[in-house]
């Protein structure tokens, strides 16, 4: 159900989504409560009509629209941080947190967050299995099946994946992607450590060990970049590369 409301400079769209009344204006999405909060700024010297052709909602050309986008985002971020992350303990009991807000090319805001969780296991104090179990409780890199959860599949593929086309930021250091995407997957979570801390599983000389690791990771890298092998499982990816999970972990411990 959607209702387009006539405006002067921008298009205000009112719609019902899953029983929730939403207002959208050129990318700004507001609930009814948020719309009432920002309405006076949207209107400025405009006129709040009934939304009919003869009595339109007029949004002033002086409306500080970019500022409203940022304010609305910050309001939603703070609500999500307080009501979802902290109050509902979805990542455990948050003892403390830190966040910094940045703007991509002076455009859309995003937040970098650091959380301290009560009773979280400590790296190098607790065993690796305990640490990995804690990580797996709250972090996933799974791609939901399009038939299992089509809405979540669309969200992950559209906004939770590094773009295959990369961006100008990727090439800042003279490489195709300074973030090293695409990155190799793993069938399970593990902590990459140098052989001196893990004990080498295969007895080879230093030169042989590095040669082995480079060969494993190069085969995996070439397979990942094979466009004909999209949408396959990690197990099948390793099979196509001719390596095992154990070899991948060993190679990672040597070179990462």
């Amino acid at each position: 159900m959607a209702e387009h409301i006539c405006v002067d400079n921008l298009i205000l769209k009112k719609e019902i989504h899953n029983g929730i009344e939403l207002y959208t204006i050129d990318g700004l999405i507001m609930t009814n409560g948020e719309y009432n909060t920002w309405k006076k700024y949207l209107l400025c010297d405009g006129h709040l009509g009934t939304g009919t052709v003869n009595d339109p909602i007029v949004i002033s050309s002086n409306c500080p629209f970019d500022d409203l986008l940022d304010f609305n985002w910050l309001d939603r971020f703070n609500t999500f941080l307080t009501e979802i992350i902290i109050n509902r303990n979805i990542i455990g009991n948050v003892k403390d947190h830190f966040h910094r807000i940045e703007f991509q090319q002076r455009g859309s805001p995003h937040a970098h967050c650091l959380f301290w969780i009560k009773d979280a296991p400590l790296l190098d104090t607790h065993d690796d299995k305990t640490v990995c179990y804690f990580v797996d409780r709250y972090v996933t890199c799974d791609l939901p099946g399009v038939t299992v959860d089509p809405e979540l599949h669309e969200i992950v593929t559209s906004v939770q994946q590094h773009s295959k086309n990369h961006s100008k930021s990727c090439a800042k250091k003279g490489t195709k992607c300074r973030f090293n995407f695409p990155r190799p997957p793993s069938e399970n979570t593990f902590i990459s450590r140098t052989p001196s801390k893990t004990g080498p599983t295969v007895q080879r000389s230093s030169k042989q060990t590095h040669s082995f690791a480079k060969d494993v990771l190069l085969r995996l890298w070439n397979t990942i970049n094979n466009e004909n092998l999209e949408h396959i499982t990690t197990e099948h990816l390793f099979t196509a590369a001719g390596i095992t999970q154990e070899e991948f972990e060993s190679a990672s411990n040597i070179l990462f």
Side-chain angles (χ1 to χ4, degrees):
M1 175 181 177
E3 174 188 356
H4 284 81
I5 300 177
C6 180
V7 297
D8 183 20
N9 300 300
L10 297 169
I11 297 177
L12 175 64
K13 183 179 180 182
K14 176 183 175 182
E15 59 184 353
I16 305 297
H17 182 71
N18 292 335
I20 301 175
E21 190 175 80
L22 297 177
Y23 292 82
T24 61
I25 309 175
D26 194 28
L28 174 62
I29 303 175
M30 300 172 287
T31 63
N32 186 54
E34 290 170 335
Y35 171 68
N36 288 327
T37 299
W38 306 120
K39 183 166 57 179
K40 61 181 179 181
Y41 300 104
L42 287 169
L43 296 174
C44 295
D45 55 351
H47 166 66
L48 179 59
T50 60
T52 64
V53 174
N54 296 324
D55 190 19
I57 294 177
V58 179
I59 297 178
S60 171
S61 58
N62 296 321
C63 169
F65 191 68
D66 290 341
D67 292 339
L68 288 180
L69 285 172
D70 294 339
F71 286 139
N72 193 61
W73 180 91
L74 181 60
D75 182 65
R76 287 193 167 201
F77 169 76
N78 287 330
T79 299
F80 180 79
L81 178 66
T82 303
E83 300 299 330
I84 305 298
I85 298 292
I86 296 177
N87 290 350
R88 298 191 184 184
N89 294 336
I90 64 170
I91 58 172
N93 187 347
V94 178
K95 298 190 301 181
D96 201 357
H97 73 278
F98 167 84
H99 68 266
R100 183 177 71 177
I101 298 172
E102 296 181 352
F103 295 82
Q104 293 177 327
Q105 298 180 356
R106 299 182 181 179
S108 301
H110 66 278
H112 293 266
C113 305
L114 183 62
F115 297 96
W116 283 263
I117 308 300
K118 183 179 179 180
D119 298 327
L122 301 177
L123 187 65
D124 295 329
T125 298
H126 295 84
D127 62 88
D128 287 0
K129 184 177 180 180
T130 301
V131 175
C132 290
Y133 175 76
F134 176 82
V135 171
D136 287 340
R137 286 179 62 187
Y138 304 114
V139 181
T140 178
C141 60
D142 289 339
L143 177 62
V146 65
T147 57
V148 176
D149 193 333
E151 183 178 10
L152 187 56
H153 177 88
E154 170 62 24
I155 293 173
V156 173
T157 53
S158 61
V159 299
Q160 289 291 317
Q161 285 187 331
H162 192 80
S163 173
K164 293 181 180 179
N165 297 324
H166 301 284
S167 66
K168 290 188 294 184
S169 179
C170 291
K172 274 186 177 180
K173 296 185 178 180
T175 61
K176 183 177 181 180
C177 182
R178 64 190 176 100
F179 304 109
N180 298 318
F181 280 96
R183 295 187 180 185
S186 176
E187 292 189 75
N188 53 266
T189 302
F190 68 94
I191 299 172
S192 183
R193 299 180 181 278
T194 60
S196 61
K197 292 186 178 181
T198 60
T201 56
V202 180
Q203 296 297 325
R204 294 185 175 91
S205 68
S206 177
K207 186 175 181 179
Q208 288 176 321
T209 299
H210 278 75
S211 177
F212 155 78
K214 287 181 179 179
D215 178 65
V216 168
L217 296 180
L218 181 60
R219 278 187 283 163
L220 182 57
W221 174 259
N222 290 334
T223 306
I224 290 173
N225 285 280
N226 185 344
E227 296 182 355
N228 296 322
L229 293 177
E230 287 190 345
H231 309 303
I232 63 174
T233 65
T234 303
E235 180 182 1
H236 291 155
L237 180 68
F238 283 177
T239 299
I243 66 173
T244 65
Q245 173 72 24
E246 291 72 21
E247 288 175 330
F248 171 60
E249 292 186 22
S250 296
S252 300
N253 287 333
I254 294 168
L255 294 181
F256 284 1

